[in-house]
């Protein structure tokens, strides 16, 4: 048996038995988002996979064995559950916090503090927005469902992806551009463009980034499996559900992170200290946003099970004829 396919099947079975509740999934993500796993070599990852396969992980409670638990944790964040391929280091889940946090801060907080730092131009805002959406697209690409097989060739897919990232960066920098271009003197307009508009904007753009990268899954479908891990077929309905859930989780991550500086501003602005030192608001917002972003990462990853479920009645008619099981499983991705 192909070792990659074997690992994928064992991962499918195991994920059906554990971490079914939101709280248990959250605790698991807090545990496995350990940045030290990024230092593991490919050889260590390969040995961990071999250990899990040799022990028959479905018949063993790995939480009672530290060595097996460490191997399982390393594989969860380093190996793609569908393909069995090792994920590039910078796109593994533990790398998301240290790499995405500074990009996130510099991308949309340039807008949030625009009224305090009016000298900031549009080009820096666009640059950091572009870097953030580029990294987000790479993360979404390497952690998507790996069973989607294109039904037709798409020679310009890379060009379209770069175009989408550029478009997202342009929209993200739009509030900064409007403020610099038209020099609004109205306090209401400055508040709207500098503090209110960035919140829904960064939320929707983060969700659309997921959709743009994984749109093919909704068209060509992804594999659905029964409780034994046997492939039933390819379903576009499951692909749509996987992309929707991932987009919602990313929107929750970025939306709540963006709300914090916007909500803090009117509260801090009333204090005597910040009335005399308005420039000090910016670093406070940066710290609060970084802490919120870091705390929200395991929450967003655990909003929906990584191994999603779909009712048989929701599948295409031809797939419903292939099984009698009421619930099927699919890999949601991150």
């Amino acid at each position: 048996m192909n070792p990659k396919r074997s690992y994928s099947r064992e991962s499918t079975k195991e994920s059906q038995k554990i971490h079914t509740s939101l709280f248990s999934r959250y605790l698991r993500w807090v545990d496995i988002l350990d940045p030290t796993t990024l230092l593991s070599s490919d050889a260590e990852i390969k040995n961990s996979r071999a250990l899990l396969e040799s022990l028959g992980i479905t018949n063993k409670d790995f939480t009672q064995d530290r060595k097996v638990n460490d191997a399982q944790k390393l594989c969860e964040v380093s190996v793609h559950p569908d393909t069995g391929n090792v994920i590039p280091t910078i796109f593994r889940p533990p790398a998301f916090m240290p790499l995405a946090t500074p990009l996130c801060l510099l991308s949309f907080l340039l807008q949030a503090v625009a009224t305090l730092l009016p000298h900031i131009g549009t080009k820096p805002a666009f640059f950091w927005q572009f870097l953030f959406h580029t990294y987000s697209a790479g993360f979404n690409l390497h952690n998507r469902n790996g069973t989607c097989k294109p039904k037709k060739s798409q020679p310009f897919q890379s060009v379209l992806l770069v175009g989408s990232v550029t478009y997202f960066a342009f929209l993200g920098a739009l509030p900064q551009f409007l403020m610099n271009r038209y020099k609004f003197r109205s306090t209401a307009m400055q508040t709207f463009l500098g503090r209110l508009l960035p919140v829904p904007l960064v939320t929707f753009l983060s969700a659309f980034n997921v959709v743009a990268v994984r749109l093919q899954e909704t068209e060509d479908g992804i594999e659905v499996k029964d409780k034994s891990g046997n492939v039933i077929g390819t379903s576009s309905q499951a692909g749509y559900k996987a992309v929707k859930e991932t987009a919602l989780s990313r929107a929750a991550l970025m939306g709540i992170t963006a709300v914090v500086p916007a909500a803090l501003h009117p509260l801090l602005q009333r204090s005597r200290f910040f009335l005399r030192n308005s420039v000090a608001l910016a670093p406070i917002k940066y710290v609060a946003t970084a802490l919120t972003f870091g705390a929200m990462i395991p929450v967003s990853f655990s909003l929906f099970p990584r191994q999603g479920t779909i009712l048989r009645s929701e599948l295409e008619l031809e797939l419903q004829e292939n099984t009698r099981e009421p619930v099927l499983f699919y890999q949601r991705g991150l």
Side-chain angles (χ1 to χ4, degrees), residues 5-268:
R5 178 62 66 177
S6 174
Y7 174 78
S8 176
R9 176 169 295 193
E10 296 298 338
S11 177
T12 299
K13 292 179 180 179
E14 184 63 21
S15 59
Q16 296 169 16
K17 301 194 301 180
I18 59 175
H19 316 315
T20 56
S21 70
L22 174 61
F23 185 64
S24 63
R25 293 196 301 270
Y26 170 76
L27 293 180
R28 183 59 180 171
W29 274 114
V30 170
D31 181 39
I32 66 178
L33 288 177
D34 180 3
T36 61
T37 59
L38 299 174
L39 303 177
S40 301
S41 64
D42 288 351
E44 291 176 303
I45 297 173
K46 183 178 179 181
N47 292 336
S48 295
R49 288 174 54 186
L51 173 63
L52 296 179
E53 293 172 359
S54 66
L55 291 177
I57 190 65
T58 56
N59 297 321
K60 184 179 181 63
D61 183 4
F62 62 83
T63 60
Q64 304 302 318
D65 189 314
R66 181 174 180 178
K67 185 177 181 180
V68 179
N69 184 34
D70 290 342
Q72 177 71 11
K73 181 169 70 173
L74 179 58
C75 288
E76 278 191 59
V77 297
S78 304
V79 180
H80 196 287
D82 288 324
T83 64
N85 295 326
V86 177
I87 302 173
T89 304
I90 63 172
F91 295 121
R92 295 174 191 171
F96 191 75
M97 182 184 299
L99 293 180
T101 299
L103 297 178
C104 170
L105 290 175
L106 291 169
S107 62
F108 71 82
L109 278 183
L110 285 177
Q111 304 164 2
V113 300
T115 56
L116 302 176
L117 303 174
H119 62 278
I120 296 178
T122 304
K123 291 182 180 179
F126 175 82
F127 175 75
W128 289 110
Q129 285 279 346
F130 183 80
L131 286 185
F132 173 71
H133 285 290
T134 298
Y135 177 76
S136 296
F139 183 86
N140 296 331
L141 183 67
H142 285 88
N143 290 277
R144 64 178 177 175
N145 184 286
T147 64
C148 180
K149 298 178 177 59
K151 296 180 180 178
K152 56 183 179 181
S153 60
Q154 296 180 334
F156 301 107
Q157 185 177 13
S158 299
V159 177
L160 292 175
L161 189 58
V162 173
S164 298
V165 169
T166 304
Y167 180 65
F168 295 152
F170 171 78
L171 290 180
L174 185 60
Q176 189 77 35
F177 169 77
L178 294 176
M179 293 189 68
N180 292 339
R181 176 68 174 81
Y182 296 103
K183 309 293 183 182
F184 294 107
R185 297 183 179 180
S186 170
T187 303
M189 283 301 299
Q190 291 181 0
T191 301
F192 174 74
L193 292 175
R195 294 197 293 270
L196 299 182
L197 182 58
V199 174
L201 195 59
V202 73
T203 301
F204 288 117
L205 290 179
S206 297
F208 289 152
N209 191 304
V210 175
V211 175
V213 172
R214 300 179 55 178
L215 183 63
Q216 193 174 51
E217 297 175 31
T218 66
E219 299 175 348
D220 297 332
I222 60 177
E223 288 184 356
V224 290
K225 304 176 182 180
D226 59 20
K227 61 184 179 182
S228 300
N230 300 311
V231 177
I232 302 301
T234 301
S235 170
S236 59
Q237 293 297 324
Y240 171 80
K241 189 176 181 182
V243 174
K244 181 183 72 172
E245 291 176 344
T246 306
L248 288 175
S249 67
R250 201 74 82 248
L253 168 64
M254 300 306 303
I256 294 178
T257 301
V259 163
V260 170
L264 279 178
H265 189 275
L267 297 177
L268 297 177

